[in-house]
Amino acid sequence: MKTVSQTKAHGGIQGVYSHPSAVTNCEMTFAVFVPPLAEGAKAPVLWYLSGLTCTHQNVMDKGEYRRLAAELGLIIVCPDTSPRGDDVADEPDNWQFGKGAGFYVDATEAPYSQHYRMYSYILDELSGLIATEFPAADMNRQGIFGHSMGGHGALVMALRNPDRFKSCSAFAPIVQPSTADWSKGAFEKYLGAESSAWRDYDATRLIENGHRFAEFLVDQGDADGFLENGLRPWLLEEACNAANIPLKLRMQPGYDHSYFFISTFMDDHLRWHRARL
């Protein structure tokens, strides 16, 4: 692991790091905020997954999480959204696919299966790296949240790994990507034409298949331009109601899909996770 940068913030350290990944077969970059802690103390780990077109940098610059994370004693890990590099297959003119749009799946279709394995990268490789390189990280207390495509990723990872993640929330998640206008095309390219294979990366379908999680918090702006065709939080609400999964869905009047929305409710989500970790 290489240290790209380290900066003091609110008594803690905001770092950016890189490493060669054996899972995505390229160099990966990620960010970690470690709050001020007593020597030898450990802190819960909260993963933040970013949305389409983003990297680890977006939430670092605009998410406004460090002040309260320092106060609450939360380690915040921000992975990238996809593999990077000249050798990574991409569609430069398609913002809904390729670099910046890994959708947190393990691709099975060539040529994408060589690099686009963000699900295993985060759950296995990066998680192991955090455990090894950050001794303050209490890997027995992990939560996960994210925005849009990252909200989709957080819901899926929580539902498929309820023993690892103790809390899960999302900002404007893509709750049923297998049918959403801006994700089903990517699913077909990454996972093949047989849509039954897509269910493993679709929160509503996972719930239908019997996967469960203790509870979810979701914030959604009602002025979000992607609400009707991309996000559709009512589908998650229907699935959770049918499965008796507690869901706190808050429709926020006047808010859109931007980081102005995310930063407004970031404190609520950090407190939600801290109470459960």
Side-chain angles (χ1 to χ4, degrees), residues 95-96 148 182 220 223-232 257:
W95 65 276
Q96 297 172 334
S148 193
W182 64 352
Q220 171 66 62
D224 191 322
F226 303 111
L227 180 60
E228 295 294 330
N229 296 322
L231 308 173
R232 305 173 296 167
H257 200 67

Side-chain angles (χ1 to χ4, degrees), residues 162-176:
D163 293 334
R164 173 178 295 195
F165 298 109
K166 312 300 183 188
S167 58
C168 179
S169 71
F171 303 99
I174 307 172
V175 305
Q176 195 177 92

Side-chain angles (χ1 to χ4, degrees), residues 16-251:
V16 177
Y17 310 91
S18 68
H19 72 109
S21 168
V23 174
T24 63
N25 294 300
C26 64
E27 191 79 5
M28 296 296 291
T29 302
F30 64 97
V32 180
F33 176 72
V34 179
L37 297 167
E39 186 174 352
K42 286 185 170 288
V45 176
L46 181 55
W47 297 80
Y48 178 88
L49 307 185
S50 289
L52 286 161
T53 74
C54 293
T55 69
H56 65 283
Q57 193 77 37
N58 297 74
V59 70
M60 272 181 55
D61 291 347
K62 298 179 284 188
E64 301 181 17
Y65 59 83
R66 279 174 289 268
R67 178 194 57 78
L68 190 58
E71 179 183 320
L72 298 176
L74 286 168
I75 292 174
I76 311 294
V77 180
C78 307
D80 201 346
T81 54
S82 69
R84 307 279 175 177
D86 294 339
D87 296 333
V88 175
D90 190 26
E91 292 183 5
D93 296 328
N94 183 0
W95 65 276
Q96 297 172 334
F97 184 75
K99 296 177 189 178
F103 276 96
Y104 304 102
V105 305
D106 282 350
T108 57
E109 301 299 299
Y112 310 110
S113 56
Q114 182 180 356
H115 299 287
Y116 287 87
R117 298 181 52 79
M118 292 301 295
Y119 181 84
S120 291
Y121 168 70
I122 290 170
L123 281 179
D124 300 328
E125 189 175 35
L126 185 54
S127 179
L129 192 65
I130 298 298
T132 300
E133 298 289 344
F134 296 86
D138 186 349
M139 304 306 283
N140 292 317
R141 292 186 290 163
Q142 295 185 64
I144 191 165
F145 69 149
H147 170 233
S148 193
M149 178 183 72
H152 136 73
L155 293 170
V156 166
M157 290 189 187
L159 283 163
R160 291 179 60 174
N161 302 275
D163 293 334
R164 173 178 295 195
F165 298 109
K166 312 300 183 188
S167 58
C168 179
S169 71
F171 303 99
I174 307 172
V175 305
Q176 195 177 92
S178 64
T179 64
D181 288 351
W182 64 352
S183 50
K184 59 185 179 183
F187 269 40
E188 182 171 0
K189 292 173 186 176
Y190 288 139
L191 303 171
E194 179 50 62
S195 60
S196 61
W198 307 354
R199 297 180 71 91
D200 285 343
Y201 299 102
D202 184 310
T204 62
R205 304 310 192 199
L206 286 169
I207 293 171
E208 290 174 2
N209 288 354
H211 289 264
R212 297 292 182 264
F213 199 74
E215 57 183 333
F216 297 117
L217 168 65
V218 172
D219 274 309
Q220 171 66 62
D222 71 1
D224 191 322
F226 303 111
L227 180 60
E228 295 294 330
N229 296 322
L231 308 173
R232 305 173 296 167
W234 50 85
L235 298 178
L236 180 64
E237 187 173 43
E238 291 168 4
C240 285
N241 286 342
N244 294 316
I245 299 174
L247 166 65
K248 191 172 189 177
L249 173 59
R250 307 191 305 186
M251 297 300 298

